[in-house]
Amino acid sequence: MNKHPEKLISSYIDNELTGTARTELEEHLKSCSKCRELAEDLSSLKERINNFYSIFEAPETIEQRIMSAMMSTKSRFATAGLFSFVLLCLLFLVPLGTVIIKPLSAAFKILLHLFTVGQVVITADPNTTGRLILSAAVLMLATAWSLKYLLAMEEVN
Amino acid sequence: MNQELFNLISEARQGKSEAFTKIVKLYKDIVFRQAYAMLHDWMEAEDVTQEAFLKAYKSLSGLNSPYAFASWMSRIVCHLCYNHIHKKNKKDKLFADEGLESGVAAGRDPHDIVENRDLRLNIQAAMGTLSPDHRVVIILRDVQGFSYDEIAKILEIPVGTVKSRIHAARMDLRSKLARQEGGT
């Protein structure tokens, strides 16, 4: 052991020195008044520091301050979350819109053209309307007859 | 750590704010004391306490084990204090008397308070002369009661460095206090 193992004294008073090192230091302290004095001083210093700071307590208002700040953080999070959601929607929907709207617009145009063509065909032949009405009437009669037939079959069963 | 605290931390990690409120009640003095001892400024210590709990609330999911809560919280306080010191390039100064008296635990003997005033002038002045690195190890060991291993983990430094810093800081304090007290 060193002549005056001062560096070990702090570890010793903090109970961080174990085994042989501790035993050797204890032996040394018995015979060395200088190191013993240092150990007593450091031990007393440790106690004074602890006593000094232990009297301080957080102000009573701190709890309320923390809880209010927590609540406002929560609402800020919610607002930020909503804002992010809207932003994300915009970010995704704008490119998505350009992809979807183009084919939709093309399909609508095709339907419009078909409608126009149909209109032209109908107006070109004056008998077309009459034929269509006749066809519809025949179709309705056929439907009514088949329905009646089905109901009759049900009754027989 | 007792079972109640373990449960509170687990519940708070699941997002239950009532559980966190109870944790604030339990730890506010410990957190405040550490911040105050580091900064020697009542208002800044209050701000750090608030910031520390808010930070803890936001990042509670990052806590590996509820058993490590005290040292985890202490690490947050250390970082915040270092930031405050760094940002303001703060020079330690004496506590304002009114702030000090309002924080002293109620119901103490007036003689104790007078005695403590002298004591604190010495201890406080001496602590104020230490570098933040030396002050923090003394606070973590002598005020908060952490072991050398825990301090090493909190500050992310080797245990050997903790030992040498604690010893150097104490020797420094001892000689400064001896000079102060010898002069008065």
Side-chain angles (χ1 to χ4, degrees), chain B residues 95-162:
Chain B
F95 296 18
D97 269 358
E98 41 209 309
L100 184 74
E101 296 305 345
S102 66
V104 171
R108 292 179 69 89
D109 188 318
H111 289 292
D112 283 353
I113 292 173
V114 173
E115 215 171 274
N116 268 317
R117 183 194 291 269
D118 298 336
L119 182 70
R120 79 165 177 256
L121 283 172
N122 292 335
I123 293 284
Q124 172 197 295
M127 285 287 282
T129 62
L130 294 181
S131 69
D133 284 345
H134 279 183
R135 201 183 316 150
V136 74
V137 288
I138 292 292
I139 293 162
L140 292 176
R141 176 64 221 175
D142 295 347
V143 182
Q144 307 291 71
F146 287 111
S147 70
Y148 285 12
D149 277 340
E150 286 170 324
I151 296 171
K153 281 176 193 155
I154 290 168
L155 299 176
E156 293 166 333
I157 54 173
V159 178
T161 310
V162 174

Side-chain angles (χ1 to χ4, degrees), chain A residues 6 10 14 16 38 41 45-46 48 50 52-53 55-58 63 65-67 69 73-74, chain B residues 21 25 28-29 33 36 40 46-47 50 57 100 103 105 119-120 142 148 167 170 174 177 181:
Chain A
E6 290 184 350
S10 274
D14 284 330
E16 295 272 351
L38 179 64
D41 279 1
L45 175 67
K46 182 181 155 83
R48 281 176 70 181
N50 183 274
F52 169 58
Y53 286 110
I55 62 171
F56 294 104
E57 290 177 352
E63 216 174 295
R65 266 183 69 177
I66 293 165
M67 298 332 288
T73 308
K74 266 187 175 178
Chain B
T21 310
K25 268 186 212 293
K28 64 180 169 48
D29 289 334
R33 204 168 286 140
Y36 187 47
H40 283 182
E46 272 193 58
D47 290 344
Q50 181 181 321
Y57 184 69
L100 184 74
L119 182 70
R120 79 165 177 256
D142 295 347
Y148 285 12
H167 185 68
R170 280 187 184 147
R174 182 191 185 226
L177 284 168
E181 286 160 5

Side-chain angles (χ1 to χ4, degrees), chain B residues 1-10 22-23 26-27 66-70:
Chain B
M1 179 191 270
N2 61 38
Q3 190 58 38
E4 190 201 349
L5 187 56
F6 183 91
N7 292 342
L8 283 176
I9 293 167
S10 303
K22 286 179 187 167
I23 294 172
L26 288 170
Y27 276 87
Y67 291 107
F69 181 78

Side-chain angles (χ1 to χ4, degrees), chain A residues 1 8 11-28:
Chain A
M1 177 160 278
L8 295 177
S11 303
Y12 171 73
I13 63 163
D14 284 330
N15 285 323
E16 295 272 351
L17 200 65
T18 52
T20 323
R22 187 176 182 88
T23 319
E24 281 178 9
L25 184 68
E26 278 170 345
E27 283 303 313
H28 176 79

Side-chain angles (χ1 to χ4, degrees), chain A residues 92-105:
Chain A
F92 279 104
L93 286 179
V94 167
L96 202 67
T98 54
V99 172
I100 289 173
I101 285 170
K102 274 184 186 171
L104 275 178
S105 157

